[in-house]
Amino acid sequence: MRVYFFILQCCCAKEVHLAFTQTPEKLDPMYEIIIGGWNNTKSAIMKNRLKTVACVLTPNILNGKAFQDFKIDFNNNAITVYRYQNIVMRHKAGKLPELLFTGVRTGSDVNGKWKLLDNKANAKYYEFIPLYGNTNFEFQVKNCTRVSVTLSKTIQENDEMYEIVISSKSEQKSSIRKKGQVGSCEDTEISAHFDLKCCVFWINLENMAIKVGLKGEDESFISHSVYESEKFNFISIDCGDTGTWKMCPLYPEKPIGRKIVTTKEMLYQFFRVNREDKFYFEVCSPKDAQLMLSTAPDTIPPIYEIVIGESENSQSVIRKDGAENVVCLSTPHILNENEFQGFWINFKKNSIKLGCMNECSPFLCHKDKELPEFYYLGIRTGPDVDGTWKLYGN
């Protein structure tokens, strides 16, 4: 059976190697993934040991004192490397071979510790996106037989998560239950099934209950009492191997103009934007202020990532789809850990421009004739620094 994703944790100061092959030997066809190579400054994907098919700057992606989480995904004839839930790099192959074996090692001058997570059918990998305080929202599913929706207060798997299961088969029930309480008397189950070839559902988290209904219908078809239901901050949706899903737009329930703190290892926080004018912001951080432009509130391509003060506050870059640097400029000391620095960004007329707040000309610019319609801006800081932001919108 083909492995569609591979999850691991690694504690190493630099240079970890993963080989994916069809046999338990180093024979072609094979792919090798190098994370934290070149003294923990770059990561790469290599094909058949010789050809580099992806290479990106990843300063300090590894840590010799703490485990770091990674996921290697092989779906849709592509190899995608995630750190936590953010894309590090991706290689799109014409046709990806079946890779049945995995080999791991570290560089010749370094030791490492590994935790390889089981990816059997009963293993669950959650890809959470934030709800931004929304307690009413909709999502669409297509071409699936079963939908699993997970609600959580944090991005880590925990026993306080709730799972909503919606089935298309008459012999299976739809349900709402707390994680780890399958078959419990506290479960809510109903004998209802739906045509999941194309369906839109709504979820309401108000008044100490989880309620689920069909779009266009006021009454929920299933509900479950949950204390502090409005405190759920993240959602994960799984439609199986054949299905797809899409969240309807989520808007922040709190004003954007407040200070926002991004801490070490924090995922992107996304905010709804438009394409009409400049988006102004200030950031206080010693390095690695990272912004992401995306079509949805997640890190799935098409995306553009803008990093201010990368490589120890020495340069700034624009990166496409988590892999390719399309612009790189020396910008020494552009950030300050003691003072806010102001910038603006716009992405109209098929170009992405980044400039200083009091200057009309951008210092970074990238043109793309097929630039997507971006609706979300994500912010975070690098893996080993904290930052404080002020977002002024447009």
Side-chain angles (χ1 to χ4, degrees):
M1 181 181 68
R2 180 172 176 172
V3 176
Y4 287 94
F5 64 85
F6 183 82
I7 303 172
L8 68 140
Q9 297 175 324
C10 184
C11 178
C12 186
K14 60 179 181 179
E15 196 174 343
V16 300
H17 295 249
L18 299 98
F20 296 91
T21 63
Q22 292 185 320
T23 69
E25 299 177 348
K26 291 182 66 175
L27 298 176
D28 298 342
M30 69 171 284
Y31 281 90
E32 184 175 15
I33 296 172
I34 304 170
I35 301 174
W38 298 271
N39 204 29
N40 204 17
T41 62
K42 297 180 182 180
S43 298
I45 301 174
M46 300 188 70
K47 181 179 179 181
N48 297 341
R49 292 164 289 180
L50 296 176
K51 183 179 180 181
T52 301
V53 294
C55 185
V56 296
L57 292 171
T58 54
N60 304 315
I61 193 171
L62 295 176
N63 189 323
K65 297 181 180 180
F67 280 96
Q68 305 297 302
D69 292 6
F70 297 95
K71 174 188 173 184
I72 318 296
D73 188 286
F74 299 95
N75 285 295
N76 301 318
N77 285 315
I79 299 176
T80 307
V81 181
Y82 294 84
R83 182 169 181 261
Y84 296 94
Q85 295 175 38
N86 299 305
I87 293 176
V88 175
M89 56 185 171
R90 168 174 287 174
H91 165 62
K92 183 72 174 178
K95 185 176 181 181
L96 202 63
E98 275 202 304
L99 302 172
L100 304 176
F101 293 87
T102 304
V104 299
R105 70 177 179 91
T106 49
S108 58
D109 59 344
V110 65
N111 295 325
K113 297 179 181 178
W114 300 78
K115 295 179 182 179
L116 307 182
L117 278 68
D118 187 4
N119 51 14
K120 295 179 181 178
N122 61 351
K124 183 77 172 178
Y125 186 79
Y126 300 95
E127 296 190 13
F128 286 111
I129 61 173
L131 290 172
Y132 313 108
N134 285 269
T135 54
N136 289 281
F137 47 89
E138 296 178 351
F139 63 96
Q140 181 186 67
V141 297
K142 291 184 177 181
N143 302 320
C144 53
T145 58
R146 182 181 183 273
V147 181
S148 173
V149 179
T150 303
L151 299 167
S152 177
K153 296 180 181 179
T154 70
I155 59 172
Q156 286 81 31
E157 183 177 358
N158 61 85
D159 291 336
E160 299 301 314
M161 300 192 310
Y162 277 80
E163 183 184 30
I164 304 166
V165 176
I166 303 171
S167 177
S168 67
K169 298 181 179 180
S170 58
E171 66 271 18
Q172 295 180 354
K173 293 183 178 181
S174 298
S175 64
I176 302 177
R177 61 171 176 260
K178 196 172 184 179
K179 180 181 178 294
Q181 293 187 352
V182 180
S184 165
C185 60
E186 297 183 9
D187 288 359
T188 296
E189 292 186 337
I190 60 169
S191 296
H193 57 279
F194 304 88
D195 182 1
L196 300 180
K197 291 182 179 179
C198 186
C199 207
V200 180
F201 297 94
W202 56 260
I203 295 178
N204 181 291
L205 301 176
E206 297 172 346
N207 302 319
M208 294 190 293
I210 299 172
K211 298 179 181 179
V212 186
L214 281 168
K215 184 176 181 178
E217 297 183 4
D218 293 334
E219 294 296 322
S220 62
F221 61 80
I222 188 171
S223 65
H224 185 82
S225 297
V226 178
Y227 180 65
E228 293 188 333
S229 60
E230 73 281 357
K231 294 295 180 68
F232 289 118
N233 298 313
F234 298 92
I235 184 171
S236 175
I237 302 176
D238 182 4
C239 292
D241 293 335
T242 60
T244 60
W245 60 270
K246 180 181 180 181
M247 286 290 296
C248 295
L250 294 172
Y251 296 89
E253 292 291 302
K254 299 178 182 178
I256 274 184
R258 71 194 192 281
K259 288 185 180 180
I260 300 170
V261 176
T262 52
T263 59
K264 301 179 182 70
E265 311 297 353
M266 181 177 284
L267 303 179
Y268 274 106
Q269 299 184 61
F270 286 94
F271 300 92
R272 181 80 176 192
V273 295
N274 65 53
R275 297 172 60 90
E276 301 305 320
D277 302 299
K278 294 177 181 177
F279 189 96
Y280 294 90
F281 64 95
E282 293 181 85
V283 60
C284 179
S285 178
K287 59 181 179 178
D288 286 330
Q290 303 178 10
L291 302 98
M292 178 173 289
L293 294 169
S294 62
T295 58
D298 54 42
T299 60
I300 299 174
I303 57 172
Y304 273 91
E305 191 172 19
I306 300 100
V307 185
I308 306 171
E310 188 182 64
S311 297
E312 300 299 323
N313 203 17
S314 66
Q315 66 180 26
S316 299
V317 304
I318 298 177
R319 186 173 296 135
K320 182 178 181 180
D321 291 344
E324 177 187 359
N325 283 352
V326 293
V327 179
C328 183
L329 180 71
S330 176
T331 55
H333 312 298
I334 192 170
L335 296 179
N336 190 315
E337 63 181 324
N338 299 313
E339 296 179 3
F340 280 95
Q341 304 297 308
F343 303 93
W344 56 263
I345 184 173
N346 73 16
F347 37 97
K348 60 182 181 179
K349 296 182 179 179
N350 291 321
S351 65
I352 297 172
K353 298 178 181 179
L354 179 73
C356 294
M357 187 173 285
N358 296 321
E359 299 178 6
C360 60
S361 297
F363 62 86
L364 284 183
C365 182
H366 171 67
K367 292 186 177 181
D368 186 341
K369 293 181 179 179
E370 298 180 353
L371 197 69
E373 291 278 341
F374 292 123
Y375 297 108
Y376 292 89
L377 175 72
I379 62 169
R380 68 174 183 181
T381 39
D384 57 347
V385 292
D386 297 337
T388 305
W389 302 70
K390 297 178 183 178
L391 306 184
Y392 297 103
N394 38 22

